[in-house]
Amino acid sequence: MLILLSALLPGLLSGSLVAEPLLPVQAAPDVWHQIGPNPRQYEPSPLPIPRRKRVTEVPPPVPGETPPATQTGIPAAPVQASAPRLTRYTLCLAAGDKDLTSGIAAARAWLAEASKAATPDTAHGAAAQCLGQLLLQQGDSAGAEAAFIESAGQVPATDPAAAAALQTMAGNAALAGGRAETALSWYDKALSPLPASAPSAEDNAVRGAVQIGRARALVALSRLPEASGALQEAHRLAPNDPEGWLLSATLARRGKDLERAQRDIEVAASLAAHGDPLGAPIGLEAGVIAMLDGREDAARKSWQSVVALAPDSAEAATAKGYLDQIGPAPTSSPAASPAAPPETSR
């Protein structure tokens, strides 16, 4: 990450998060024409940050199943001397990884079998959850949303945290399908149970992640002040989540508050670990902020670092487009010595 933003964010190298002094922005209104073929598509769009797996996207505990312990979407096996125990849920996800179409068919068959139970059932919930995750991989966001809600309906009333996790997954699916209003309703339901009187750091991190989802939905609905408030709450609950700071930097940049945008992108960069998938989006956004601030060389170096960091990513493709439009850095050549005056005859 220091390589990614070393030229753009010198404060990070010294451990400081104080934004470097900003240059005049007289050229800012015209800069959009330098960094994108159709900048008006970029500015008002939903926060353009691909979602990574979050705590709230990890399958919640299912009685009798292997508890989730990773952020990969596939529960980790319990620590034991013998070989890991495979469950029908893990096998369902593995089948989808091997062949998505056949995996979805198998998940549907399992769900049909499990749904015959007359009362809420853990197998029913696990089958619906697996189907939702596979449908989301297929791009069927509406089907995934419905499956996650069906799974949430199987969670006992005594476990509101598990239901909230599934409601958040439904919100993420709805947002991926462009249904921001629906997504917002699921996020709000996930937050509706009152937090514990003494919430743990993990509890706060989960609620902070939901607030980040709310912010994305609110931006899509053009409710920007509310989105800013949601991000402030996310910062309070999960101050070490780089995604929240990245989104608030993007939101500040769109509001033309470049000083705030610079500050927040520095915080995001300081929190993103080496190899974090947010590295490329952070670098891309940092370059946009620098360009709008009149620091073309810093923007160029940041976008070049994005290309070097993740050459096959969508962010790298965007960065290459920006670099093509601003062109290479100007080169300076030593000033030519003035020619000697012609000698005159005496």
Side-chain angles (χ1 to χ4, degrees), residues 8-227:
L8 177 60
L9 306 177
L12 295 180
L13 299 178
S14 63
S16 171
L17 293 181
V18 179
E20 59 185 300
L22 298 178
L23 300 177
V25 295
Q26 297 95 323
D30 297 324
V31 169
W32 284 111
H33 302 291
Q34 302 176 36
I35 63 174
N38 190 352
R40 309 316 295 179
Q41 288 183 355
Y42 183 78
E43 188 171 11
S45 63
L47 295 175
I49 310 302
R51 294 277 298 173
R52 58 179 174 167
K53 290 285 185 183
R54 308 194 59 79
V55 173
T56 51
E57 293 172 341
V58 179
V62 177
E65 299 286 336
T66 303
T70 70
Q71 292 191 9
T72 63
I74 301 178
V79 178
Q80 54 186 14
S82 58
R85 180 174 64 90
L86 296 177
T87 67
R88 191 160 184 181
Y89 175 77
T90 59
L91 291 171
C92 176
L93 291 176
D97 289 339
K98 185 176 181 180
D99 185 297
L100 187 55
T101 301
S102 62
I104 289 173
R108 290 190 190 281
W110 180 24
L111 180 59
E113 172 192 326
S115 62
K116 295 176 182 178
T119 58
D121 179 74
T122 55
H124 185 173
Q129 186 174 325
C130 176
L131 177 61
Q133 290 177 258
L134 297 184
L135 288 175
L136 200 55
Q137 291 182 41
Q138 190 185 53
D140 182 359
S141 62
E145 178 190 349
F148 290 138
I149 294 308
E150 183 172 354
S151 181
Q154 303 302 308
V155 175
T158 55
D159 194 0
L166 286 159
Q167 288 164 346
T168 301
M169 294 169 77
N172 294 343
L175 190 58
R179 301 180 298 282
E181 195 75 58
T182 301
L184 186 60
S185 70
W186 289 126
Y187 293 136
D188 288 341
K189 286 182 180 179
L191 291 172
S192 60
L194 294 176
S197 57
S200 66
E202 184 178 358
D203 292 334
N204 284 338
V206 170
R207 293 179 75 84
V210 180
Q211 289 289 358
I212 290 173
R214 289 187 72 249
R216 293 167 60 82
L218 288 164
V219 168
L221 295 168
S222 299
R223 294 160 59 178
L224 302 188
E226 292 174 80

Side-chain angles (χ1 to χ4, degrees), residues 281-341:
I282 288 172
L284 184 65
E285 179 62 35
V288 174
I289 293 168
M291 194 70 187
L292 287 173
D293 190 34
R295 293 176 284 122
E296 182 178 308
D297 187 56
R300 180 181 292 105
K301 290 178 180 178
S302 183
W303 290 329
Q304 288 171 340
S305 295
V306 172
V307 174
L309 178 72
D312 298 325
S313 67
E315 290 81 13
T318 301
K320 289 175 184 176
Y322 291 167
L323 289 168
D324 288 344
Q325 290 181 63
I326 65 175
T331 57
S332 58
S333 56
S337 301

